[in-house]
Amino acid sequence: MSDSADPQIQTLPGPRGLPLFEKREAGVSDLDHVRSQWHHGALARDSLGVVHAFSQAALVAILDDRVSRQIETETLWARGIKDPLAWEFFGNSLLTSNGAPHKARRGALAKTFAFPLMRALRPEVRRTVDALLAQVGSEPEVDFVPQVAGPLPASVIARILGVPEEEAPHFAEMVYSAIRVLQMCTPEVLQDALGDLQVLNLYVEDLMAQRRAAPAEDFLTRFVHDATETLDELEIRVQLVSVIFGGSDTTRAQLTMAVGRLLDHPAQWQMLREDPERWAAPAVEEALRYDPVVGGLGRVATCEFDLEGVRIPKGTILSPNLVAALRDPQVYDAPDRFDITRQDHPRYTPAFGAGPHRCLGEALARVELEEALKALSAAWPEMQIVGEPPRLKGLSGTRTVSGLRLRPHP
């Protein structure tokens, strides 16, 4: 969170006497930083009053809707953001709402993103990956994030929404700029992102108008028609932008990290190459655990409750840390070992959240990640990393992924 927080955030209630969540020293990784902090206590309080938790048990406890709710516009106060467009998004998105509004907003989308429907997209997702790899595979080196990992989820979401194929590259560019409003960034970057969020909103408005004027057999037509029963025009548009955001940046980063980890473990990459139908899904499951692309979640205590032996007052802002929780030695054997044969994953990985706010796009993300790994194992079986492997950075919200350069055919 920004140091330029609104004073109101600093007066929120919270337990006292907790260790201070210290600033990271230069060169220290996210994981090492949170582990060092965890060593000082199960909970820590930062300068804004936000309470951070590290264990997976604490993560599960905090995500219980009986004791906390999803953070809403509090994050805008914390970041000192007053722009009306940002408030419009955070105030109307299913990502940052609770209770009846969240139920209505999520319910309008849930049928479309059901697991069976997303699994039916596998052949189309595979064709999209194959086309991307064929387009760049003859190059001696590939800049994987902008040439493959980024275009894949943006293209799939564009097709789901019915964006014309020739406009998909421009659509992806808008999305990856506008999505920065959800991330910690400088005021200059934020203003640039807000400008592109305005452009994206206008683009989505135009798509909605097109479907009303000329209905088609697609998701967007059905959603625009059916959602009017429960949502107003603003909510419909914001939910579409939320879907676009949720289905783009996280998958881009997760695919990049999955490829990097597999190539850094040649024996496991060999296993996937030899039997992709068997090992693609386990590889994705382990990648989600080993490198979570969401660093921390934002919740607000709705009642007093005990957490890690500490009494949490109502109104406390809580941030369970996924980087630490998904390497919790109380849950995973040898948690720092990347192992696609691992058998100790929980039934539902916390990487996608929990309860009513569990990621709506989980099924689609898994399909994209699995099909991408299968396609890569077939098209570029001998690919190699050029230079440094990819890294994630960030402890809250969507983490930033570094670049990944590949040599497809050594």
Side-chain angles (χ1 to χ4, degrees):
M1 290 188 177
S2 169
D3 291 334
S4 60
D6 189 283
Q8 294 188 44
I9 238 9
Q10 300 185 44
T11 64
L12 287 174
R16 305 298 173 180
L18 295 178
L20 178 67
F21 196 99
E22 300 172 352
K23 290 187 176 181
R24 182 208 315 261
E25 295 183 5
V28 177
S29 72
D30 291 349
L31 181 61
D32 287 342
H33 182 55
V34 293
R35 278 187 170 159
S36 175
Q37 188 66 58
W38 194 354
H39 179 73
H40 295 297
L43 304 177
R45 184 180 172 97
D46 67 22
S47 60
L48 298 173
V50 177
V51 174
H52 300 256
F54 307 105
S55 71
Q56 192 163 128
L59 168 68
V60 172
I62 291 171
L63 294 182
D64 187 337
D65 269 19
R66 293 172 297 180
V67 300
S68 74
R69 63 167 172 81
Q70 190 83 347
I71 199 166
E72 297 177 351
T73 55
E74 292 92 346
T75 188
L76 297 176
W77 283 111
R79 294 170 62 189
I81 297 174
K82 299 179 181 179
D83 188 279
L85 191 60
W87 280 85
E88 176 187 89
F89 178 81
F90 278 78
N92 291 279
S93 172
L94 82 162
L95 302 175
T96 48
S97 59
N98 294 279
H102 175 263
K103 185 177 181 179
R105 293 162 184 170
R106 184 182 177 95
L109 291 164
K111 289 184 180 179
T112 302
F113 285 89
F115 270 71
L117 291 176
M118 292 302 100
R119 292 189 186 115
L121 286 175
R122 279 189 184 275
E124 185 173 348
V125 171
R126 179 59 184 266
R127 286 193 293 271
T128 302
V129 186
D130 286 341
L132 287 168
L133 299 184
Q135 185 177 350
V136 299
S138 61
E139 299 178 12
E141 288 187 11
V142 172
D143 196 352
F144 188 72
V145 176
Q147 291 184 286
V148 179
L152 170 60
S155 296
V156 172
I157 285 292
R159 290 188 183 187
I160 290 174
L161 294 179
V163 173
E165 187 172 349
E166 64 274 13
E167 295 180 16
H170 173 60
F171 176 81
E173 186 178 338
M174 278 193 300
V175 170
Y176 288 125
S177 177
I179 203 170
R180 294 176 295 174
V181 300
L182 303 180
Q183 303 167 351
M184 301 303 159
C185 54
T186 65
E188 294 76 18
V189 171
L190 178 62
Q191 285 305 308
D192 188 47
L194 286 168
D196 283 314
L197 177 58
Q198 177 64 36
V199 174
L200 181 59
N201 271 297
L202 293 172
Y203 189 88
V204 170
E205 274 188 354
D206 186 54
L207 284 176
M208 291 165 58
Q210 289 179 33
R211 288 306 184 278
R212 287 197 172 104
E217 292 296 324
D218 61 11
F219 156 74
L220 187 57
T221 299
R222 293 193 303 273
F223 179 70
V224 168
H225 177 268
D226 295 346
T228 55
E229 297 179 7
T230 54
L231 306 181
D232 62 30
E233 194 73 0
L234 171 61
E235 287 180 297
I236 293 173
R237 171 167 54 79
V238 172
Q239 300 336 298
L240 288 171
V241 174
S242 299
V243 165
I244 293 167
F245 282 172
S248 302
D249 207 30
T250 51
T251 305
R252 171 177 67 167
Q254 197 70 73
L255 177 57
T256 301
M257 294 307 302
V259 170
R261 294 300 180 187
L262 285 165
L263 295 184
D264 199 35
H265 295 77
Q268 295 184 56
W269 175 235
Q270 180 69 20
M271 290 168 58
L272 192 147
R273 286 171 46 190
E274 293 177 352
D275 194 348
E277 291 300 325
R278 177 182 179 183
W279 292 112
V284 168
E285 193 71 24
E286 180 67 344
L288 290 165
R289 181 196 74 86
Y290 202 80
D291 293 298
V293 299
V294 174
L297 303 172
R299 302 284 291 188
V300 179
T302 54
C303 63
E304 284 195 5
F305 71 102
D306 290 321
L307 179 68
E308 302 279 21
V310 175
R311 193 66 176 170
I312 304 295
K314 180 179 179 179
T316 301
I317 296 184
L318 299 155
S319 181
N321 185 274
L322 275 76
V323 177
L326 288 162
R327 300 282 190 102
D328 189 337
Q330 295 298 315
V331 179
Y332 307 100
D333 179 49
D336 291 339
R337 183 181 68 225
F338 180 85
D339 182 4
I340 67 174
T341 70
R342 182 179 294 279
Q343 298 295 310
D344 54 5
H345 292 287
R347 182 178 180 185
Y348 299 106
T349 175
F352 287 109
H357 280 277
R358 188 170 180 85
C359 178
L360 189 66
E362 176 182 355
L364 179 58
R366 288 183 181 277
V367 167
E368 290 173 333
L369 293 167
E370 291 169 16
E371 292 306 313
L373 293 181
K374 292 177 188 177
L376 283 162
S377 70
W380 302 349
E382 303 296 331
M383 63 180 175
Q384 296 177 355
I385 295 176
V386 179
E388 293 295 317
R391 294 287 182 266
L392 286 170
K393 185 174 182 180
L395 295 176
S396 63
T398 304
R399 305 167 74 194
T400 302
V401 67
S402 64
L404 171 63
R405 296 197 69 82
L406 295 176
R407 187 173 293 118
H409 309 290

